[in-house]
Amino acid sequence: MQLARNLEGKILSPAEIIENTPNSDPETSLQPAEGHDHADHEGHDHSHEGHDHEGHSHGPVVNPLCVRHVTIEASQEEVDKAFANVLRDYKKHAKIPGFRAGKVPDSVVRRRFAEQIRKDVLESILPQRFRAAIDDAGITPVSQPQLTGLTLEEGKPLFGEAVFEAVPDFSVDGYTDVVVPKVVPEATEEEFQQELKQLRESRATIEPVEEDRPLVDGDWAQITYIGQVQSDETVPDLKGEDSLVEIGGAETLPAFNDALRGAKVGDELGVEVVYPEDYTEQKLAGKAVAYTIEVKAIKKRILPELNDEFASELGDYGTLADLEARIRTHLTVTKERQAEQQTREALFQALNARFQFPIPESLVQQQVDARLDRGLRALAEQGMNPDMMRKLDFGRLRAAQRDSAVNEVRTSLLLDRIADSEQVTVSDEEFERELYLASLQSREPIEQLRARLTEDGGLARIREQLRREKTAHLLYERLPAA
């Protein structure tokens, strides 16, 4: 326990001082209320490789309108008892030359371990005293408290003041009067045909072209190649055997399209490719590569016929009509979800505009962190390497996220307050189902996931987010039909 390791004017403690305080976890009000992903239940991690928060401005430390103070006091008797207990423990284990274990005089122990004893006394007193102070004041901190004006001496009472941010009191009276039009879900025939097309393309096969003709857009060239990186002998030659390249394909580099378009089997081609500076493969980014290519074969993608046999290959469908019905149902459900999501976002905007109140800056900055972390994970999944991440302007990125973060925090706080008014609760069955889905998505055994989330407070976040989801859906259902 690190409580009081940092003394006057410093952060008072880690989570121990506010453990078990409802909604005290700084992340509990940070999830966007517009929906959630089971993977997000694991919280977020700031340790992305290539990304360092040091040196990045996090904006104002606190919102003065949300700062609260409580006085922390302990009687002389409590202080003296704490000193005696700590001194007894040090005396029992102290190893000092010239004295037997357990026989070191109190005065020697006090002099030798004065600073450590004082810190241990603080750690033994402050958590309970701080808890009592915020309970008496009816305040829930949402930021790490700072301790000021601390006095702690043996034979005297303890006195100090804890300063922290808290959510200010605000009213949601009239929230039922906030109404927005419901978005009407509409699944078009064009969208249905696109879904059907994608299913056919997923079952397409690549077949050889027997006729003697040149490559055209839509063909696949089977090639062998050797690429020499120019002006960089440290990069070995690039080699490929029987690689397939789609002529005119979205993933094919323009230089390859230009070189291969019109070529025939047996042709040997030379092409130079200049890779962009932000190319995902770092060793090629910004470099020129001279390729020698031999066309080995021309192939064509063949789409399957739309018939009952095609439908049966995709699942338990007796006929093509059964498959089409399932596609239409899936498309309709998807459109309904999207319509509800869009409506809820409009409702959240209206609620934010109607109910204005100060937002704790600590919650805003933590939400900015959460948004940036999600963005960084996405960039990493897209192939951005650590060196490129280090070049990002995080000050600008944080500033760009701030307005959205403020709105998301306000929405979460509003939903929490409305949930209180509506007496929204989350049943154990609902909670266990969500935990099960999170386990499936993270591919982690459910009991292992439960243990980990219990340790880091994630279980409370899951239940809190479910409560917000239920509240948002309740508000949506009450809106008049379009």
Side-chain angles (χ1 to χ4, degrees), residues 90-110:
Y90 270 81
K91 184 175 180 180
K92 181 179 179 181
H93 298 95
K95 295 181 180 180
I96 298 178
F99 298 96
R100 289 183 296 163
K103 300 298 182 179
V104 183
D106 289 357
S107 59
V108 175
V109 174
R110 281 191 174 93

Side-chain angles (χ1 to χ4, degrees), residues 206-252:
I206 304 295
E207 304 291 342
V209 173
E210 301 298 340
E211 62 180 300
D212 180 19
R213 66 168 179 81
L215 284 160
V216 297
D217 284 1
D219 285 341
W220 290 76
Q222 180 178 324
I223 65 172
T224 295
Y225 67 85
I226 296 178
Q228 293 181 322
V229 180
Q230 308 297 292
S231 303
D232 191 345
E233 297 180 355
T234 64
V235 180
D237 288 349
L238 311 176
K239 297 181 180 180
E241 293 284 343
D242 296 327
S243 299
L244 289 175
V245 178
E246 183 182 10
I247 310 304
E251 302 299 322
T252 305

Side-chain angles (χ1 to χ4, degrees), residues 397-457:
L397 291 175
R398 293 189 70 84
Q401 298 293 327
R402 180 176 173 79
D403 288 347
S404 295
V406 169
N407 288 333
E408 288 170 355
V409 173
R410 178 176 281 109
T411 296
S412 294
L413 296 176
L414 285 169
L415 288 175
D416 289 342
R417 190 62 56 89
I418 293 172
D420 292 339
S421 298
E422 296 285 350
Q423 297 183 331
V424 176
T425 60
V426 175
S427 68
D428 290 341
E429 292 77 11
E430 291 170 325
F431 176 80
E432 288 299 324
R433 179 179 180 275
E434 192 73 5
L435 190 63
Y436 173 71
L437 292 175
S439 173
L440 290 180
Q441 188 168 26
S442 64
R443 298 181 180 179
E444 185 175 2
I446 189 167
E447 291 308 320
Q448 179 178 321
L449 176 65
R450 188 193 306 275
R452 180 169 58 78
L453 293 179
T454 299
E455 184 177 347
D456 68 12

Side-chain angles (χ1 to χ4, degrees), residues 70-141:
V70 294
T71 299
I72 301 177
E73 297 178 294
S75 68
Q76 175 187 333
E77 291 75 17
E78 184 177 354
V79 171
D80 288 346
K81 183 179 179 180
F83 267 103
N85 290 338
V86 173
L87 180 64
R88 183 168 55 250
D89 187 58
Y90 270 81
K91 184 175 180 180
K92 181 179 179 181
H93 298 95
K95 295 181 180 180
I96 298 178
F99 298 96
R100 289 183 296 163
K103 300 298 182 179
V104 183
D106 289 357
S107 59
V108 175
V109 174
R110 281 191 174 93
R111 185 170 60 253
R112 184 71 173 268
F113 303 105
E115 188 63 26
Q116 294 93 322
I117 289 174
R118 187 174 187 272
K119 289 179 180 178
D120 287 354
V121 168
L122 280 174
E123 289 186 359
S124 69
I125 296 177
L126 283 182
Q128 295 179 357
R129 294 296 94 207
F130 179 73
R131 163 65 61 190
I134 61 174
D135 286 348
D136 289 345
I139 302 174
T140 300

Side-chain angles (χ1 to χ4, degrees), residues 130 137 208 298 319 332 355 428:
F130 179 73
I298 298 177
T319 65
T332 298
F355 299 103
D428 290 341

